[in-house]
Amino acid sequence: MKWIFRLLGKGILVILPFVILIWILSFVFSIINYIVQFVFNTTSNSILGTSIVLVVMFLTLIYAGYLLEKNREFLLLKISEFVIAKIPGIGSVYAVLKDMVKMFSGSGGQSYLGVAFVSLAGNDVVGFITKEEEEIFWVFVPTTPNPTSGILLRVPKDKIRKTDMSVSDGLKKVVSLGIK
């Protein structure tokens, strides 16, 4: 009979973290749900209420941008990134997206080395040079219109045609399907 209670206790210890996680997520969801319902119920028939919410959101974003510019590692950002990084699956996706945003904006430690045309199946495609090695370029060729996915190619330097296009112009070209 003791072994049943021992196994029951161990089973509870195994399941307990999942139950606590679900409870915390439920609690956070209910708080966010309450805030969203409060804001939209308040602002649904009021231009003044909607204007106030927009101004508060605008000022909050400006303040967050100021904090980031003043101190790149401000506490709220560190805590939120730490929490997101601990979530399986989501943490790795967030890290990749963050690195891509840093690369496209040029604010990361390493930015793109330039925009180039790479020949694929007889067609020239827009690619972003990410790294230069001895006789090789590493080129990221994004898919259009969603540049967050694509392929990474290892291309000899003589097979690439560099352009004077900026990274933002190359990105606009990819996102706009070549229109802009």
Side-chain angles (χ1 to χ4, degrees), residues 158-178:
D158 59 343
K159 301 286 184 187
I160 288 181
R161 192 168 44 117
K162 283 189 167 185
T163 68
D164 57 353
M165 193 183 316
S166 69
V167 173
S168 63
D169 288 340
L171 188 58
K172 285 179 194 174
K173 189 70 77 181
V174 170
V175 171
S176 70
L177 302 170

Side-chain angles (χ1 to χ4, degrees), residues 58-68:
F58 184 72
L59 291 175
T60 302
L61 290 174
I62 289 174
Y63 184 64
Y66 169 75
L67 286 177
L68 182 65

Side-chain angles (χ1 to χ4, degrees), residues 104-173:
F104 281 123
S105 68
S107 63
Q110 284 186 323
S111 59
Y112 283 113
L113 301 176
V115 180
F117 290 110
V118 180
S119 181
L120 284 178
N123 297 308
D124 286 345
V125 295
V126 175
F128 300 95
I129 301 171
T130 59
K131 186 175 183 182
E132 182 177 2
E133 291 179 350
E134 294 170 10
E135 295 298 319
I136 301 291
F137 280 128
W138 286 92
V139 181
F140 175 69
V141 178
T143 57
T144 187
N146 179 13
T148 58
S149 62
I151 58 173
L152 182 65
L153 301 173
R154 187 173 174 259
V155 183
K157 287 184 179 181
D158 59 343
K159 301 286 184 187
I160 288 181
R161 192 168 44 117
K162 283 189 167 185
T163 68
D164 57 353
M165 193 183 316
S166 69
V167 173
S168 63
D169 288 340
L171 188 58
K172 285 179 194 174
K173 189 70 77 181

Side-chain angles (χ1 to χ4, degrees), residues 3-21:
W3 62 274
I4 291 177
F5 289 115
R6 181 174 44 90
L7 292 177
L8 182 66
K10 287 182 179 183
I12 289 172
L13 290 176
V14 168
I15 300 296
L16 191 60
F18 297 109
V19 172
I20 292 172
L21 177 65

